[in-house]
Amino acid sequence: MFVEIPAPVVVVPARVARPALVRRLLRGAPPYLYLLPALALLVIWTYRPLVQTAQLSFFSWNLLPTQPATPVGLGNYVRLFQVPAVGQAALRTLEVIGGLIPFTLLVPVLVGLLGQRVRGRARAVYQALVFAPLLVAPVASATVWEWLLEPSGGAVNRVLGTHVNWLHDTTWAQPAIILVTGWHLIGFAVLVVSAGLSNINSDYSEAAMIDGASRGQITRWITLPLLSPTLVFLALMTVLLSAQWTFPLIDTITQGGPSGATTNVYYLLWDYSFHSFDAGLGTAAGMVLFVVFGIIAAGLVLLSEKLSVHDD
């Protein structure tokens, strides 16, 4: 005789459904996790010091760890705009920007166009010779140029037959700094222009030549318009970084002199912070410089979209 025993009932736990928002976040998170290390470094190395600089601009401090920072509110900003040297340094910064434009735009375009006519290995040698000054450390080039511009026996004065004190005369110090900085930057600018020229499709110029266009017409109406995004980039770099590019030369050769003739806004905030030990005034100058150049950069970026011609 058999007795039928019912099978045990298996109880399946009910699955708890995750909210739809959580599921969407989990599905979309993996791509952004790859960006997390870069974002963390960006916050630590860029935005954290920026916030600390903004915070320090409202304090008076002489950089000594044993001396506490004293809150002064907007006092540093008020003092900054009452110092006559700030306006003079701003004018010298504009002079530096205007003086470097030929070295970062005009000469590199000319050298880049001429370099297209050089073929084979000679072209690599030609580009290497132009790029070589950029490989020289700014401090080393400052020392060499200080020797070349020496007033009594320097090579420049001997060639020109003059006895000008280029680096310690209020008339010639600023042009000399611009000239040496431009010599140092030409290689970088030529490299950027050459990269822009190589990205231009040669079909346009070949079609224009078939239609009878001259080399000058091709350069004027095809090459330069298609090169405009590169030129706008170089112009943006020149406006934003000119004062920073001159800093190693100024600090090595003239220390802002003679009589402040080579002091621009970048060197001025360095002078306030690390020569006068007025960290509050230096950081206030840095924040003003950051805001002003940020507005200029935003304007140039918006303007670049209207000035640039893209090969679509």
Side-chain angles (χ1 to χ4, degrees), residues 62-256:
N62 59 3
L63 293 176
L64 291 177
T66 56
Q67 297 292 325
T70 306
V72 294
L74 296 175
N76 289 326
Y77 292 93
V78 174
R79 275 200 302 143
L80 181 66
F81 289 108
Q82 291 176 344
V83 177
V86 175
Q88 297 169 0
L91 290 177
R92 293 190 196 99
T93 304
L94 295 177
E95 292 176 2
V96 170
I97 293 172
L100 286 180
I101 286 292
F103 295 98
T104 56
L105 287 178
L106 301 182
V107 176
V109 169
L110 181 62
V111 174
L113 292 174
L114 292 176
Q116 284 190 314
R117 303 185 184 185
V118 183
R119 302 297 179 186
R121 294 182 180 179
R123 184 173 184 177
V125 175
Y126 173 78
Q127 291 177 340
L129 290 175
V130 175
F131 188 69
L134 188 63
L135 301 178
V136 182
V139 176
S141 65
T143 305
V144 172
W145 275 100
E146 192 173 14
W147 173 68
L148 293 173
L149 296 174
E150 207 274 327
S152 59
V156 175
N157 273 334
R158 281 190 292 176
V159 170
L160 299 178
T162 58
H163 298 281
V164 177
N165 194 347
W166 298 97
L167 298 174
H168 299 286
D169 187 292
T170 54
T171 303
W172 296 106
Q174 178 85 321
I177 291 294
I178 293 173
L179 176 66
V180 177
T181 307
W183 169 83
H184 198 260
L185 292 174
I186 279 182
F188 167 74
V190 170
L191 187 68
V192 174
V193 170
S194 299
L197 289 172
S198 63
N199 288 329
I200 297 176
N201 194 334
S202 60
D203 292 346
Y204 296 114
S205 58
E206 292 173 359
M209 291 179 68
I210 293 175
D211 291 338
S214 64
R215 190 181 293 273
Q217 290 173 325
I218 292 173
T219 301
R220 168 66 180 85
W221 298 108
I222 296 177
T223 305
L224 291 180
L226 292 177
L227 191 63
S228 58
T230 302
L231 300 181
V232 170
F233 167 74
L234 285 174
L236 184 64
M237 294 279 290
T238 304
V239 172
L240 297 181
L241 301 179
S242 286
Q244 184 176 343
W245 285 335
T246 59
F247 177 79
L249 296 174
I250 295 174
D251 193 47
T252 305
I253 300 176
T254 65
Q255 290 81 44

Side-chain angles (χ1 to χ4, degrees), residues 22-46:
V22 175
R23 288 201 304 272
R24 287 200 300 271
L25 289 177
L26 291 177
R27 281 199 301 267
Y32 296 100
L33 292 178
Y34 291 103
L35 300 176
L36 191 58
L39 292 175
L41 292 176
L42 184 67
V43 171
I44 292 173
W45 294 108
T46 301

